[in-house]
Amino acid sequence: KNQVEQSPQSLIILEGKNCTLQCNYTVSPFSNLRWYKQDTGRGPVSLTIMTFSENTKSNGRYTATLDADTKQSSLHITASQLSDSASYICVVSDRGSTLGRLYFGRGTQLTVWP
Amino acid sequence: EADIYQTPRYLVIGTGKKITLECSQTMGHDKMYWYQQDPGMELHLIHYSYGVNSTEKGDLSSESTVSRIRTEHFPLTLESARPSHTSQYLCASSSGQLLEQYFGPGTRLTVT
């Protein structure tokens, strides 16, 4: 069964600290993996998208890694800011159809405290 | 920020009413999607479209219907709203080989 599991479910950190969010997936065949940031009451916004051949990709203070062999990804946030408080969603796409079926994780709810 | 819009942003409506959630995008994307998301849960695909006059049901069974008469417009209609339809509805469109999706701000629907 194709699944995307994220951990932790929620996380609280102090402003300025770093954190790492985890994503494990069983989706096959694999096409790409995306990390989205979703603010409360808003739609998700793409942070990174990685294909099979990419091991790491950065977007400002966000760095995503991908290990396609172990089917694991992580999102590292450096020097957290209050505006980083949001849900971070891991999404995996398969190659099974022209549509590129997406499998969504439930997200990690990050809260940054001053 | 993506040019994809949803209206209304919030809607409270009584049981049995007919409602239409609007979604429009100005990016010229062929593919558009509707997702349903409950608090703390993953997004579930309820409808998608490959282009004009093309609509398909998604993974999650939904009593809603959609239409795609114009490329930029993908409205979702509930003929008779029920409390079980209370949820957040997200519209998205995609482009490119990787089909990267751009999401609208969502419509929070409450059916009383």
Side-chain angles (χ1 to χ4, degrees), chain A residues 9 31-32 34 36 38 41-46 48-49 51 89 93 97-102 104-106, chain B residues 1 9-10 31 33 35 37 40-43 45 48 50 59 88 90 98-106:
Chain A
Q9 184 176 352
S31 176
N32 58 78
R34 309 127 187 256
Y36 283 90
Q38 185 177 21
R42 308 288 297 183
V45 175
S46 178
T48 64
I49 182 169
T51 59
I89 304 172
S93 176
S97 69
T98 303
L99 181 66
R101 166 84 186 269
L102 297 184
F104 289 82
R106 293 188 175 184
Chain B
E1 191 149 325
R9 291 294 318 281
Y10 304 93
K31 296 178 178 65
Y33 315 80
Y35 292 90
Q37 184 184 31
M41 301 298 288
E42 63 267 47
L43 279 72
L45 181 67
Y48 62 94
Y50 285 119
D59 307 316
Q88 172 153 290
L90 290 161
L98 294 178
L99 296 175
E100 182 166 4
Q101 295 198 2
Y102 298 88
F103 287 85

Side-chain angles (χ1 to χ4, degrees), chain A residues 6 11 34 67-68 87:
Chain A
Q6 292 188 243
L11 180 64
R34 309 127 187 256
D67 186 334
S87 178

Side-chain angles (χ1 to χ4, degrees), chain A residues 51-80:
Chain A
T51 59
F52 185 88
S53 59
E54 296 176 292
N55 295 323
T56 185
K57 182 167 279 189
S58 292
N59 178 0
R61 295 180 296 102
Y62 302 102
T63 299
T65 64
L66 173 64
D67 186 334
D69 292 330
T70 62
K71 297 187 177 182
Q72 295 179 326
S73 176
S74 66
L75 180 69
H76 186 74
I77 303 174
T78 304
S80 61

Side-chain angles (χ1 to χ4, degrees), chain B residues 1-4 24-30 72 93-95 102:
Chain B
E1 191 149 325
D3 296 322
I4 180 164
S24 60
Q25 50 96 3
T26 58
M27 297 173 284
H29 291 168
D30 287 334
E72 64 271 20
S93 66
S94 69
S95 70
Y102 298 88

